[in-house]
Amino acid sequence: MAHDEGLWSIGELAERAGVTVKTVRFYSERGLLPETSRSSGGHRRYGPEALGRLSLIRALRGLGLGVPQVRRLLPPAGPSEGVPPGDMPEEGLLEDVLAGQLRELGSRIEALRWREAALRLVRECPPGERAERLRLLGAVSTPPSTDTLARFWRGWLPVRMPARSVAAFLDLAVPQPPADPEPAQVLAFARLHALTSRPCAGSGPSPQPAAHRRAGGARAAVLYEGLAEAYELAGVRLGARREPGPGEALDGFVAAYASAYGVRDTPGFRRSLAGELAGDPRLDRYWDLVAELRTPPGGTPAPTPGTAHDWLLAALRAQTAGTPAASARADRTVNQGNMPFRS
């Protein structure tokens, strides 16, 4: 029952709020729940408005907010003035804090899902493969980060390529891990991480396609912008299970190289381009893993930039195979170009 002056002791406030005295004292000592006054004996006294403020504090804490966040959201209150029980935090500020809390919670849930899939991956694999899978998983953060994959591609692209074009290429080439993965997708990402964490096989730490040497940084931006459009068109044909052949996708593919090189698209250019691309370094293993990562078990593999490039190159080879030189270059593509970039 309140005292004559209408104030409550810490115990009375705790009883009305359904909490312990220790809880009320905790919030008071951190400045979230200021007392209205002190008794002659130095004991805290609270007005009825403190009950509403305490309810608001508990509601915010129940949402997982920390004391600093709650302090930001609480309406101001001085030691001699209370806060009406219906007062709420300022709407925009509450929206920002709750949005941040949801992002943090989503990240934690994603981490738990990846951890669950990783546990299943190790439990369900043959005992002889567990050590290798544990090694792969141990190198990957939870939730997984694509920083290593992006770093690999940044080192592979021409050094003077504009930042905007680099970002667009990374959006195309770096797959985002699924939020709720199956064990096979976790394994695919771990293998991608391992593959891009060390130098490429072959000559030098990062073999470059001939287009990088010929086009340079600025023109490489033109090249990859055109290739992105061609890959999208080829992906539609791949999804429809169309055989490689002439059409808008192949014309866009060739036009991307012609624009980057500053030359016209002619039959002779197409023949020389087919031979040039046959000798480029291959990243087959990377794109195979990207397809595994993007495809749920039992699903149909979605086209990747790698499979789209192969479809377009096959279409170009078929179109230019009328001369002996082109046929010889096509043979080299079959025999050498398909050497995968393996982990």
Side-chain angles (χ1 to χ4, degrees), residues 225-243:
E225 183 177 344
L227 288 180
E229 295 176 5
Y231 291 162
E232 184 175 356
L233 292 171
V236 174
R237 287 154 179 77
L238 275 164
R241 300 183 181 278
R242 296 269 298 275
E243 290 294 322

Side-chain angles (χ1 to χ4, degrees), residues 229-321:
E229 295 176 5
Y231 291 162
E232 184 175 356
L233 292 171
V236 174
R237 287 154 179 77
L238 275 164
R241 300 183 181 278
R242 296 269 298 275
E243 290 294 322
E248 186 182 3
L250 178 59
D251 290 344
F253 181 69
V254 175
Y257 283 97
S259 296
Y261 294 171
V263 300
R264 291 174 54 242
D265 176 6
T266 65
F269 174 72
R270 293 195 176 209
R271 288 192 296 271
S272 66
L273 181 62
E276 175 185 303
L277 296 181
D280 274 349
R282 303 279 298 186
L283 302 176
D284 295 356
R285 180 58 171 162
Y286 181 91
W287 298 118
D288 288 346
L289 291 170
V290 168
E292 291 178 28
L293 179 64
R294 290 178 172 170
T295 307
T300 301
T304 67
T307 55
H309 185 91
D310 284 348
W311 189 96
L312 290 162
L313 180 55
L316 180 63
R317 288 171 51 208
Q319 188 181 69
T320 59

Side-chain angles (χ1 to χ4, degrees), residues 45-130:
R45 290 288 184 261
Y46 300 90
E49 66 281 346
L51 183 59
R53 189 177 182 88
L54 182 53
S55 296
L56 178 56
I57 292 170
R58 293 182 65 204
L60 294 172
R61 292 285 282 163
L63 293 174
L65 304 185
V67 169
Q69 293 170 307
V70 172
R71 182 178 289 110
R72 286 179 59 206
L73 291 172
L74 283 174
S80 60
E81 54 182 281
V83 176
D87 258 14
M88 284 294 294
E90 190 246 320
E91 194 64 31
L93 184 57
L94 177 61
E95 190 72 27
D96 290 345
V97 171
L98 293 181
Q101 191 72 3
L102 284 170
R103 286 192 298 271
E104 181 183 340
L105 184 60
S107 180
R108 286 158 57 189
I109 291 173
E110 182 181 342
L112 288 173
R113 286 172 175 164
W114 272 81
R115 189 172 300 166
E116 178 189 22
L119 289 169
R120 289 169 52 200
L121 174 65
V122 176
R123 186 187 67 179
E124 295 167 6
C125 77
E129 298 178 12
R130 285 180 176 166

